[in-house]
Amino acid sequence: MLGQMMGTQLLVSSIIRHADRYHGDVEIVSRAVEGGIHRYTYCDAHRRAKQLANALTKLGVKPSDRVGTMAWNGYRHLEIYYAVSGMGAICHTINPRLFPEQLSYIINHAEDSYVMIDLTFVPLAEQLAPHCKSVKAWIIMTDRAHMPVATTLDHVLCYEDLIGRESDIYYWPQLDENTASSLCYTSGTTGNPKGVLYSHRSTVLHSYASVMPDCFALSAQDVVMPVVPMFHVNAWGIPYSALAVGAKLVLPGGGMDGASLHELMESEGVTFAAGVPTIWLGLLNHVKETGAKFNTLRRTIVGGSTCPPTMIRTFMEDYKVSVIHAWGMTETSPLGTVCTLKAKHKNLPIEEKLKILSKQGFAVNGITMKIVDKNGKELPRDGKAFGDLMVMGPWVVNSYYKGEGGSPLREGRWFPTGDVATIDADGYMQITDRSKDVIKSGGEWISSIELENIAMAHPAIAEAAVIGVAHPKWDERPLVVAVKKPGLKVSREELLGFYEGKIARWWTPDDVAFVESLPHTGTGKLLKMKLREDFADYKLPTA
Ligand code: ADP
């Protein structure tokens, strides 16, 4: 027997319609690419999204067409998110930090019909345009006064001219909720990037889940600042979740340095911010150097790579900001797990709380996960056994765009994340490694992340990466590659001594190499592949 409830389709357009109707006067504040601060309301954003939908219709954009964006976090980008998906086309956010060859590959693979770009990315678009034959025009996200005087782009349109002549009467079509709404490519550290095609249904369910109290806990009283870019997994869904609850939205544009972020947080009263550890490191350095405080910030969500426990402690103890460590990936929309304490942890000493909060957390309701061994056999949830992390849920990828690489699923339903993790008896998952970063020593595995966290807890270390280096007897042994904090000293022996008593003795790294800086990907993650190349011929003293 079927249930007898309405089959109302879950659509992205319903989110902005709700924001307009019930939170119409709530502000969206953006640091504009042209300079200065731009502010308007949800009501204005909805109106302009409808104008844009009319303009795109006139340009010939049809349902399922891909429309690309290369843009910072700003109000026009938000309008594009809603206009393109809302009209039944697919909003393809492109990460401008990828290599140009990857970018033209992605644009060609997606067959983007138009690409909307911030002024910052005009030179990049000029470089890409000769290789991107599907693109009918590059739409520059600015007004007539700021349009570049000279550009080698053949077909350019001005965003404000386009929408300025359009009516704001537009009726969002009633789509099937399984219609594709947006497209993101994985960064493709191995092989070509692969496209993950989100649906209206997956996007709306993800936004409902993400605002829950033990998740982002967002409400109409919050002021939300996504520092994670809108070109990276939809800024973790915040452009949807903030509107879903009617929170004020603060979009920082291209100003990701500590000083710019802090200034905007204070002037706009930001209560909740989301970002990757590297960006937060810049922010914390800034407040430390200037003696500044966070007067309104209460919660920050940190993810994308392991949040060093020292960062959680600094935020909590020095600034009274709680850190919610989260894990996810492009293939999971991205929210998979979030780390918050349970009632029984309330009276634990701070050190014990910190131990829990350093984990990646338990599955967001809707996501199911397990860890398995090499043969696919499920491993115990004892916080010790570690194996390949598998997930499933309504906002997890089923297959890649255009069927690339065949079905990624195991047993027809589990998505293998490529991460190695433990799960404890309370369900808290902890990533021990990316499967390709695990250090294999004498047939046993050593977690590079755990060794990095210890190195980064040393007061003189700014950043550290641990990689496996070839060893004649053990196959691989760990090498710490570390950057010292400016003006501080630490020797190889001192740093290795710092591991004593913190881990099993055989996990202790064999050597330390001090470097000026570490390589990062376009999204701020350690580029260990590059490090492994750089240190391919490294001779360990123990070898
Ligand atoms: P890409 O896969 O394109 O590099 P993603 O943003 O999808 O970019 O990266 C997902 C990966 O990032 C995860 O599989 C995991 O390895 C890593 N990751 C994400 N969040 C965390 C976290 N909190 N702790 C450790 N690793 C994380």
Side-chain angles (χ1 to χ4, degrees):
M1 193 186 294
L2 292 178
Q4 295 181 314
M5 307 308 282
M6 288 188 190
T8 307
Q9 301 293 292
L10 303 174
L11 299 179
V12 165
S13 54
S14 70
I15 300 177
I16 196 163
R17 191 187 291 128
H18 177 89
D20 177 359
R21 207 167 277 167
Y22 299 101
H23 308 281
D25 60 348
V26 173
E27 275 186 323
I28 301 170
V29 181
S30 312
R31 201 186 281 284
V33 173
E34 299 92 341
I37 297 286
H38 174 275
R39 51 181 84 235
Y40 71 169
T41 65
Y42 280 146
C43 190
D44 299 325
H46 191 201
R47 188 171 42 76
R48 283 170 48 95
K50 289 190 280 189
Q51 286 176 288
L52 178 58
N54 278 325
L56 292 175
T57 307
K58 284 213 182 119
L59 286 177
V61 173
K62 304 244 166 3
S64 300
D65 281 358
R66 276 75 59 208
V67 176
T69 67
M70 279 202 296
W72 300 113
N73 293 8
Y75 65 103
R76 293 191 184 104
H77 206 176
L78 188 79
E79 294 161 5
I80 299 166
Y81 262 51
Y82 282 95
V84 174
S85 301
M87 66 191 286
I90 299 166
C91 180
H92 170 208
T93 50
I94 304 164
N95 182 347
R97 290 178 183 151
L98 299 179
F99 300 116
E101 306 77 59
Q102 287 181 315
L103 289 171
S104 49
Y105 171 85
I106 286 173
I107 294 171
N108 283 316
H109 190 264
E111 301 169 82
D112 290 323
S113 54
Y114 292 90
V115 181
M116 316 242 203
I117 54 174
D118 265 336
L119 276 169
T120 327
F121 301 117
V122 172
L124 181 58
E126 288 173 342
Q127 200 183 338
L128 299 175
H131 311 286
C132 302
K133 299 296 175 213
S134 64
V135 179
K136 293 182 200 153
W138 301 79
I139 302 174
I140 304 183
M141 295 161 61
T142 192
D143 55 20
R144 179 54 48 193
H146 290 90
M147 282 293 280
V149 247
T151 168
T152 60
L153 289 172
D154 280 341
H155 304 286
V156 278
L157 295 167
C158 166
Y159 185 94
E160 291 298 334
D161 280 0
L162 262 187
I163 74 166
R165 11 178 213 265
E166 295 302 329
S167 148
D168 60 5
I169 297 173
Y170 181 91
Y171 299 98
W172 300 114
Q174 279 307 310
L175 308 165
D176 180 315
E177 64 183 16
N178 290 305
T179 304
S181 58
S182 65
L183 175 64
C184 285
Y185 279 74
T186 62
S187 36
T189 37
T190 48
N192 276 327
K194 292 196 283 274
V196 179
L197 192 59
Y198 307 112
S199 66
H200 284 259
R201 176 184 147 83
S202 71
T203 306
V204 172
L205 288 175
H206 181 268
S207 74
Y208 288 168
S210 68
V211 299
M212 288 193 293
D214 278 314
C215 236
F216 295 178
L218 292 187
S219 85
Q221 299 189 17
D222 274 308
V223 180
V224 176
M225 179 157 99
V227 180
V228 49
M230 288 167 76
F231 54 71
H232 189 219
V233 215
N234 296 330
W236 300 347
I238 291 173
Y240 306 110
S241 50
L243 272 73
V245 299
K248 172 176 163 180
L249 194 55
V250 180
L251 301 170
M256 304 281 188
D257 61 290
S260 311
L261 291 175
H262 184 260
E263 185 203 79
L264 200 57
M265 283 177 169
E266 291 298 307
S267 61
E268 297 303 326
V270 169
T271 60
F272 174 94
V276 296
T278 335
I279 295 285
W280 278 177
L281 203 61
L283 177 68
L284 286 175
N285 284 342
H286 167 78
V287 286
K288 188 155 182 229
E289 276 160 23
T290 56
K293 291 263 165 297
F294 294 106
N295 288 305
T296 56
L297 187 67
R298 291 292 164 265
R299 301 185 316 288
T300 166
I301 181 130
V302 186
S305 48
T306 307
C307 180
T310 44
M311 179 174 285
I312 303 182
R313 184 194 290 275
T314 308
F315 265 121
M316 281 173 60
E317 289 190 340
D318 299 354
Y319 299 104
K320 306 289 170 255
V321 173
S322 46
V323 171
I324 308 162
H325 191 191
W327 167 89
M329 53 200 310
T330 307
E331 287 89 337
T332 63
S333 295
L335 222 49
T337 67
V338 165
C339 196
T340 49
L341 296 176
K342 301 185 184 188
K344 66 178 174 185
H345 300 136
K346 211 169 173 177
N347 298 320
L348 284 180
I350 179 81
E351 295 306 322
E352 294 300 310
K353 282 186 181 164
L354 275 170
K355 255 190 216 156
I356 300 173
L357 291 171
S358 304
K359 298 191 173 196
Q360 277 73 10
F362 46 87
V364 175
N365 197 339
I367 296 288
T368 310
M369 62 184 189
K370 65 173 181 180
I371 45 171
V372 299
D373 68 9
K374 288 197 281 293
N375 306 314
K377 189 169 156 281
E378 185 164 359
L379 290 166
R381 295 171 176 246
D382 59 7
K384 292 195 189 79
F386 51 99
D388 295 315
L389 178 67
M390 320 282 277
V391 295
M392 66 165 131
W395 53 87
V396 177
V397 72
N398 189 45
S399 58
Y400 289 103
Y401 185 48
K402 295 187 173 172
E404 209 90 332
S407 171
L409 305 188
R410 300 282 154 80
E411 301 165 52
R413 60 203 176 106
W414 289 97
F415 175 75
T417 62
D419 285 325
V420 177
T422 60
I423 302 178
D424 69 19
D426 286 324
Y428 288 88
M429 183 274 281
Q430 182 159 30
I431 300 276
T432 58
D433 255 312
R434 198 79 187 131
S435 55
K436 53 184 184 294
D437 296 336
V438 172
I439 300 162
K440 299 184 178 96
S441 172
E444 301 280 345
W445 286 6
I446 298 176
S447 157
S448 65
I449 293 181
E450 195 162 337
L451 299 183
E452 284 158 11
N453 283 345
I454 296 173
M456 281 192 277
H458 190 285
I461 298 296
E463 203 184 7
V466 176
I467 52 168
V469 172
H471 188 283
K473 180 164 177 206
W474 301 109
D475 227 3
E476 277 183 355
R477 288 295 301 158
L479 166 73
V480 188
V481 187
V483 182
K484 288 183 210 172
K485 283 190 187 150
L488 294 185
K489 288 205 176 84
V490 54
S491 67
R492 166 188 183 276
E493 287 67 30
E494 279 171 274
L495 189 58
L496 293 179
F498 193 63
Y499 281 92
E500 224 170 283
K502 297 190 175 80
I503 38 160
R505 180 158 280 170
W506 69 276
W507 276 37
T508 309
D510 283 24
D511 205 4
V512 180
F514 289 107
V515 292
E516 289 302 313
S517 66
L518 291 171
H520 291 99
T521 66
T523 49
K525 294 180 201 207
L526 276 174
L527 202 51
K528 290 205 194 166
M529 208 167 56
K530 171 85 173 55
L531 271 184
R532 277 193 289 267
E533 277 169 27
D534 293 352
F535 285 88
D537 301 324
Y538 193 81
K539 284 270 166 300
L540 291 167
T542 50

